[in-house]
Structure formats: C-alpha cells, structure tokens
Amino acid sequence: MSVLTQRTRVLTVWVLTLVLSQGVLAQGPLSKANLNVDGKRISNADEESGNWLAHGRTYSEQRFSPLKNINADNVKDLGLAWSFSTDSGRGHEASPIVVDGAMFITLPWSIVIALDAKTGDELWRYDPLVPRSWGRNACCDVVNRGVAVWKGFVYFGSLDGRLISLDAKTGELVWEKQTTDKDRPYTITGAPRIVKDKVIIGNGGAELGVRGYITAYDAISGDLVWRFFTVPGDPSKPFEHPELEEAAKTWNGEWWEIGGGGTAWDSMAYDPELDTLYVGTGNGSPWNRELRSPGGGDNLYLSSILAMNPDTGRLKWHYQTTPMDNWDYTATQHIILADLPIDGKERKVLMQAPKNGFFYVLDRETGELLSADTYVDINWASHVDMKTGRPVETGGGDYQSGFKVVLPSPTGGHNWHPMTYSPDTQLVYIPAILEPFPFMHQPDFKYQKGAWNLGVDFPKSVAFAIQSKAPAPETSGHLKAWNPVKKKEVWRVVHPTMANGGILSTAGNLVFQGTGDGRFVAYAADSGDKLWEVKTNLGIVAPPISYSVDGDQYIAVLAGWGGVPSIIGGDVAHASAAKFANFGQMMAFKIEGSTAMPEIAAKRITMIPQPPVSSASSATVIQGQNLYHQYCFQCHGSLAVSAGVVSDLRYSTKVVHENFKKIVLEGMLEGAGMARFDDLISEEDAEALHAYIIFRANQDRTAMLEAENQ
Ligand code: CA
C-alpha cells in the first residue's frame, strides 16, 4: 500500500468519524435544553410553566396550563405559528411533551420525532420499524398517545409491545425491552409514565383475547422491577402475586384460556404526597360475561381503578366501576387528581368519566366513593348504589336474553380523549359521546386466535339492521363542562360529530378542543362562549397542550383523524372528517401568528369505479357480508364504508380486484399495513368476501348514478 493510499484511508476514516459524530450532535433547542426531567421537576411543574414535562403536564394529569398570555381577551388574534406535516393518514392521538423549546411527539406506527417547538423544524426521528403485519392486532388503529421524558431519555411503547428508551438529545436507541408475549395479540398505544425512576407501561388487546398487566421497568437499566396482572391466570398454577388469589374468587369457568382482559392501555396518575400510582383497567375478554365467566362473578380487576404502591406494584385499594363488565366498559379513561371541597370539607379526590356513563369522584387516599352521577344518557343501569358502590343494572343491557340497543356503546360516554380540570373554574371538561349500540349474544362462540373474540354477534346485528331497514342510530358528541362538586353540567357545546378531540384548559379562562369535522376552537372556560375558531380541514382527536418559548405562549395540537370510532364508524364517521384528505399536521398557534394554514383540500366525492362482473349467488354475498363483519370491518368500516383512514374497499382499483386473494391471503400489501389473513380466511371465504365488496360497490355506485341523473 502506498503512502498516498494510506493517507487517503486515514483521511477517509477521519472525515467519516467527523460526519458520524456530527450526525448525533444535539440540534437546535436540544443543544441547550435541560432534559434532566425528574419527579421533583414534574411535581413543581408550575415553577416552569412554559414547559409541558409530563403526559398530563403534572402528575395529577389535570391538563391545565397556568400560562395566560393567551387569554379570553386576545384569543381572537390567535394565528398559526408553524405546522409540521406528519405524512401519515392513520390515527393521530399523541399528546406532546415540551422541554425548553424541544417538543417530542409520536406518530402512527409508533414513530417518535423531536421538533423545534418555536419553528416546527424536525430535530431527529426514530422509527422502531413496527412490522406492518402487526397492525391487524390493533383494535383501534395503529395509534400512539405519546412519550415520557426522564433524566435525558425519551421513553415510548411500540405497537408490537416493546418499551424503548432513546437518547433525548439525539434520538439514538439506548435500550428496548419486549414487554409482551409475541404469540399473543398484545399492542401498546398508551404513553408510559415515570415515577421514582420506574417506567410504568401497560398494554392492550382485550378485543382479540389477552390477559392484562402493568409493568414497571428501571428507567436507566431497563430491568423489570415489578409486574401486576389485572386478572388472575389459571388458578391451578401459583398466583403471581397475592391480590390474584382474592380476584380468582370472583371468576368462573376457564377465563384464562382467552385471557380475561383487563388491559391497562391508557390512563395513569400519581400522587407524590400519598406516594400512590393510579391505573385504570380495561374491559373483559371476551366482552360477553356469560361466555367469559359462566355463572357470574364480578371479575376483578376488570374495569377498575387501581391504587398501587409504585415501588412494589402492590395494591393499596381498588374500585371497580363496572362489576361483571358485559359491554366493553373500560375504566382506562383519563384519571384526574384534584383537591375539592366536598360537603364543606377539602378532600383529596380522584375523578374519572369511564365508558359506562357515570362520573366518579373517589377519595384517592382510601378509595371511598364520594359520588357517581350519569354524565351522559345511559340505559344499562339506573344509578350507583352509594352504600355498595355498585351500579344497579336495569336489564336494558342484558343482551344474553335477546337483541338490545345499549347506551353508552363500546365507544363509551367518553373514551381515551383526555378531559381537563381547571382549578380556576373548578370544572371538569369532558369530550362526551352519545352513541347507542346493538348487542347480540353469540351462543356458538368459539375462540379464534388472531380474530376479534367478543362473544357478540356483529354479523347478525348488521344483518338484522339491514333486514329491518333500521336507520343508523343517532349519534352525537359534545364538549361538556361538569361541576364535580355540585355533580351537574354547567354548559355544553354540541358538535356535529361524535368523536372529537381531547381538551386543554388554561389560566387565560380558556378551553381548547379540536373537532371531528376539522376545526380547532377556543371557548371561555367559565361560560362556554366560543371565542375563536380556525378551520384545520383535518379531523382532530388528540388533546392540545400549551407551552412557551422566548416569552411567546403557544397552543399546539396534533391534527389528524383516526382511531376508534373513526375507522369502524362507516357512514357515521364518513359524514365528518373523511371529507378531507387525512394527512396529519402538528400545529402550533400564537397571538398574531401569521403563517398560512396548510392547504388541505376537501376530498371530492368521486364516482365509485365500475367493479368487475360477479356471478356470485346472493347466498355467497350474504356469506361475504358475515365474514366482512367478522374480520374486516374493524379497520375498513361497517358496511364496507371507510371513514377515510383505511382504504374504502368500494373504491378498489382494477389491480386490487385482480389481486384480491393475493392481498387477503398472501399479504401482497403487507408493507402498506394490510396483513395477510390466511390463518382465518379460506380461499372460498376470500371469494365470498370479494363478492360482497363487489356487491356493495355496485349498490352504492348505482345509487350515485341515480342521484346524478335526478
Ligand atoms: Ca376495549
């Protein structure tokens, strides 16, 4: 080797090293941000009110910002400061974290990005490369609700069940742990919370069949510290922890075969003074209680609020909101901690509006029930017995005895979309939902690995509705201001759409919410008067936050439609945000922000293309309709009408029609998120499904042509 070549080599290595090390230098605000977030800083969050350090800003998860440069007087001058295109059309549910001008958000498929919170410039990006085939295990879209930041690291869960730690300055991988058994359809969509150097993470999957649990990992080493199972396993084997021995007495049958459910997929809160972690748990798996636990039983700890010791994972107390859950009534909804004057006495309370329709106020030290009042119309229970703490069922939800239309639906009177509590108004603001839902017992239910296992006969409900020509049930959504002390509604704003965004309240007497029909709105927190509105032309489900950089206050929201019920909703959801092309935008607004809103054109309703000729019999079409509402509607929408998130199959192209079986059975479009289903669907089934899609395309195409000719 000549000296020259050697020199060139040394130089090349030197240049490469320089380039590589430059590639991992902290950029923009990350170079000077104090990313050393810890429990003390989160507990004293009001001392750095320009930051949004934790999921709900504080451990109490009030989602209230003390900032008031933007207030009821000047909010009319709010304008866009910047927006950042996410280039994704799937569900956008994340709540950002902001530390010293650096913003951290998650996108669909668990991608994490860091942005300059002043300019919207991307600083780094980490893609955990979730296998797109895993998307079929997600009940409610391939969403993620955010990261946690702690002592220089960023933590998040990936859809396929990993807990991942990144260097907050550079986005480089530090460690990752598989938190779930990959032989089971577990997913993670919720944001981790961090308490005393322990990263707490749950999981989801109860629609398909899993056993729920919560795990604490050491933030630095990634070692597992404790795991709390929310439902017991096979009682012939040793219980993993003593709480399960008690819980097992409330179950019957062989629930562990399917899993039992109880997944803790979203809400947590922490009280540093009481040193208590609060976690909400999910619905039963399967939904149908008679199939899940024949002979009855409360089925602890389904649909419960758990108060836990964060060091050990031991249970301090629990409150079950829906004993014997039968309707997907999770208690994973947002938990807020506050101090309220109840009957003239200051009480440390915990508040939740779970899916079941009751607004609960509990003493968070003892678990004592202080009040439980309906915050939406319900028909499955009349009230909560304050002596026993149990809801009194009316029989209106007892679908084992026959077809029942139940209120609230499995979407709930309120879902994951966060509420907020303003200590100024002492009101809780709830994104409420009114949706009745048809339930039908499935007596011939059999567990199918990889499918939805509910014990509720969707195909029969759909066939019944079509046959009886029943109109689609009336659904609506509203923003409700609720007084938790007086136990009553103070004001409400009714929205045209059922699913709307999470909520932020601020010290500027403001409440912010995005809507399903593509608006971002500010209301007066005390009166509900609308003070400002901008058309985003993107449906919004995520919650806004507020922060400040260089003296300017910002209100930011991740705009983008998706998640349940947007994808299942079919016609109902289609009428709203689906009229816009759904590519997400992170948007930040400030007073006199003068950036033009991103141009998001309304989608033209185009003619359904002529599908291929089908010679299938009507019996085959009905078989296809049943199969569709067993395996496909969860993503592609009821009656093959998509709400604009996942492909509308009525609009399938010639290429899709020609390759229908290859797509469904061989995973031809797996890279785009369409998993293969040959484990559940036979070739003959695929043909019947295709016949149904062709039938529906023809049906709606004919109606469109007739309307055009009128
Ligand atoms: Ca569920």
Side-chain angles (χ1 to χ4, degrees), residues 173-200:
L173 179 69
V174 177
W175 53 255
E176 66 172 33
K177 299 281 165 181
Q178 185 66 42
T179 71
T180 53
D181 174 359
K182 289 204 73 180
D183 199 38
R184 286 279 188 168
Y186 284 103
T187 51
I188 299 179
T189 57
R193 311 298 203 279
I194 306 184
V195 170
K196 298 163 88 178
D197 284 325
K198 290 168 196 73
V199 190
I200 320 284

Side-chain angles (χ1 to χ4, degrees), residues 340-623:
L340 293 182
I342 307 269
D343 297 331
K345 201 176 140 204
E346 194 83 347
R347 302 288 293 253
K348 290 177 187 298
V349 309
L350 172 157
M351 297 181 278
Q352 192 191 44
K355 280 186 185 177
N356 76 10
F358 289 102
F359 188 93
Y360 293 90
V361 181
L362 304 179
D363 181 312
R364 71 174 179 271
E365 193 164 5
T366 62
E368 180 194 345
L369 176 66
L370 300 176
S371 65
D373 297 271
T374 53
Y375 65 92
V376 287
D377 292 341
I378 72 170
N379 70 358
W380 72 280
S382 57
H383 64 287
V384 171
D385 181 327
M386 290 302 291
K387 281 209 184 76
T388 62
R390 298 171 69 90
V392 179
E393 289 191 25
T394 58
D398 182 13
Y399 58 88
Q400 282 79 3
S401 65
F403 178 78
K404 289 277 159 60
V405 176
V406 184
L407 250 176
S409 77
T411 301
H414 164 227
N415 206 297
W416 65 269
H417 318 78
M419 317 188 289
T420 177
Y421 170 74
S422 163
D424 289 351
T425 60
Q426 296 201 331
L427 300 177
V428 175
Y429 303 88
I430 312 170
I433 296 169
L434 292 168
E435 182 194 35
F437 190 86
F439 275 92
M440 212 175 233
H441 187 51
Q442 191 179 10
D444 58 350
F445 169 75
K446 271 195 196 70
Y447 172 71
Q448 276 185 298
K449 191 180 174 186
W452 277 38
N453 288 286
L454 307 178
V456 174
D457 202 330
F458 278 135
K460 223 180 256 174
S461 289
V462 169
F464 183 81
I466 292 172
Q467 215 175 6
S468 62
K469 296 205 165 34
E474 287 275 331
T475 66
S476 65
H478 62 269
L479 162 58
K480 183 192 297 283
W482 177 264
N483 185 321
V485 175
K486 294 184 176 157
K487 304 180 282 187
K488 62 170 200 193
E489 179 177 316
V490 178
W491 54 259
R492 77 162 75 182
V493 175
V494 178
H495 297 311
T497 47
M498 178 175 94
N500 301 289
I503 307 174
L504 164 76
S505 62
T506 77
N509 187 28
L510 293 171
V511 164
F512 288 89
Q513 187 187 27
T515 64
D517 63 334
R519 293 171 298 131
F520 188 48
V521 193
Y523 303 93
D526 51 4
S527 66
D529 291 345
K530 187 162 89 177
L531 300 177
W532 171 83
E533 171 180 300
V534 68
K535 279 203 164 67
T536 54
N537 287 359
L538 276 167
I540 297 175
V541 288
I545 64 151
S546 189
Y547 61 91
S548 65
V549 186
D550 297 339
D552 280 333
Q553 184 187 352
Y554 294 78
I555 307 285
V557 69
L558 183 59
W561 183 240
V564 87
S566 330
I567 56 172
I568 292 184
D571 263 329
V572 173
H574 197 258
S576 53
K579 62 187 181 218
F580 305 109
N582 185 43
F583 276 91
Q585 294 275 348
M586 184 71 221
M587 295 180 174
F589 298 87
K590 64 174 185 177
I591 295 298
E592 289 174 2
S594 56
T595 303
M597 289 293 285
E599 265 188 49
I600 294 154
K603 252 196 227 163
R604 244 168 9 102
I605 306 242
T606 51
M607 181 57 63
I608 293 173
Q610 173 78 60
V613 175
S614 165
S615 57
S617 67
S618 56
T620 303
V621 170
I622 287 172
Q623 187 200 341

Side-chain angles (χ1 to χ4, degrees), residues 207 283 328 330 355:
E207 270 58 62
N283 56 280
D328 189 15
T330 65
K355 280 186 185 177

